[in-house]
Amino acid sequence: MKNTIEEIKKNLDALNSRADNMEERISNVEDGNIELLQAEKEREARLKRNEETLRELSDTIRRCNVRIIGIPEGEEKEKGAESLFKEIMAENFPNLVREMDLQVTEANRSPNFINARRPTPRHIVVKLAKVNDKEKILRTARQKKLTYKGTPIRLSADFSAETLQARREWNDIFKNLKDKNLQPRILYPAKISFKYDGENKNFPDKQKLREFI
C-alpha cells in the first residue's frame, strides 16, 4: 500500500509539473499575442498619421486653388482656361475685380483626361498667386448664384481626394441642417459646423453629432 501511495504521489507531482509548464507556455503565448496586438495597433496608428500628413501636405499645395464646377467641356479651348476664369470673375464679381490685383498662376481641367463614363464636365482648377484672393472670391461666391453665359456654375476650394470624400459624407446632414435654417458650414478638413441656440457647434464626426442630438 505504501509503495502504491508513493507511486501515485510521484504521478501527481509529474502531472502538476506538466500543468505548471503548460500554464507557463500558455502565459508566454498570451503575452506574445498581446505584444503582437499592441504592435499592430501602433502600426495602424503610424499608418493613419502618415496618411493624414500626406493629406495635409496635398491640401497645403492646393491652398491657393479655386475649382470651377459646371463649365461645359471645350469652352476653354479657344481662349484658354485662364481667360475663361477672368470672364467668370467679370460677369459675377465686377466690383471685386476692380478692388483686387488678381493674379492667376495657372488654370486647367482636372483630371487631365476625359472619363467617358462621367456625365458631368471636368472641373477647372485655377491656381491664384495669393490665398487671400481665393478666400475673398469664395466668401463672395457663397452670397450669390453664379453663372457663365447664363449657365449656373459653382466655385469651391480645391482639396485632395481624401478630404473631398470626407466632406461629401456630410452632404445629407448638411442639406437637412440647411433646410432647418441652421446655417451649416464644412470646416477644414471635414468638420460640420452650424448655429444652435445662438452658438456655433462644431463636430468632427457623425458619432459626436449623434451624441449631441
Side-chain angles (χ1 to χ4, degrees), residues 73-185:
E73 291 283 352
E75 282 290 322
E76 74 283 5
K77 285 186 177 179
E78 183 178 348
K79 298 179 181 179
E82 183 176 336
S83 295
L84 187 148
F85 173 67
K86 291 179 178 178
E87 286 182 22
I88 291 171
M89 291 295 298
E91 180 178 341
N92 294 277
F93 312 107
N95 295 332
L96 194 60
V97 170
R98 285 192 290 269
E99 295 173 7
M100 299 168 59
D101 178 22
L102 191 61
Q103 299 177 29
V104 178
T105 303
E106 60 179 295
N108 49 59
R109 290 275 184 181
S110 178
N112 295 328
F113 59 90
I114 297 177
N115 185 350
R117 297 180 181 178
R118 181 174 177 173
T120 56
R122 293 170 296 164
H123 299 174
I124 293 177
V125 178
V126 180
K127 185 174 184 178
L128 303 177
K130 302 174 184 176
V131 68
N132 287 341
D133 289 348
K134 180 205 76 171
E135 292 172 353
K136 286 180 183 178
I137 291 170
L138 294 180
R139 188 162 53 245
T140 307
R142 285 194 289 267
Q143 301 170 3
K144 60 184 300 184
K145 294 182 179 180
L146 309 181
T147 59
Y148 170 70
K149 296 181 179 179
T151 302
I153 62 171
R154 291 190 296 117
L155 299 185
S156 74
D158 185 30
F159 297 110
S160 64
E162 293 78 13
T163 299
L164 284 173
Q165 179 57 38
R167 293 166 78 92
R168 287 192 192 103
E169 291 177 1
W170 288 111
N171 282 353
D172 291 341
I173 294 173
F174 186 94
K175 185 177 183 303
N176 288 333
L177 292 172
K178 189 174 182 180
D179 291 342
K180 296 179 186 298
N181 199 30
L182 294 176
Q183 304 175 35
R185 293 178 59 198

Side-chain angles (χ1 to χ4, degrees), residues 44-72:
E44 291 177 356
R46 285 198 303 271
L47 182 61
K48 185 177 181 180
R49 286 196 299 270
N50 290 340
E51 289 174 348
E52 290 176 352
T53 299
L54 286 173
R55 184 184 70 176
E56 290 172 1
L57 179 60
S58 182
D59 288 337
T60 299
I61 294 171
R62 293 172 163 85
R63 66 194 301 263
C64 291
N65 293 1
V66 174
R67 278 186 177 259
I68 310 174
I69 304 168
I71 301 294

Side-chain angles (χ1 to χ4, degrees), residues 35-45:
E35 290 177 1
L36 287 174
L37 289 172
Q38 184 63 33
E40 180 64 18
K41 288 181 180 179
E42 291 176 357
R43 188 188 70 82
E44 291 177 356

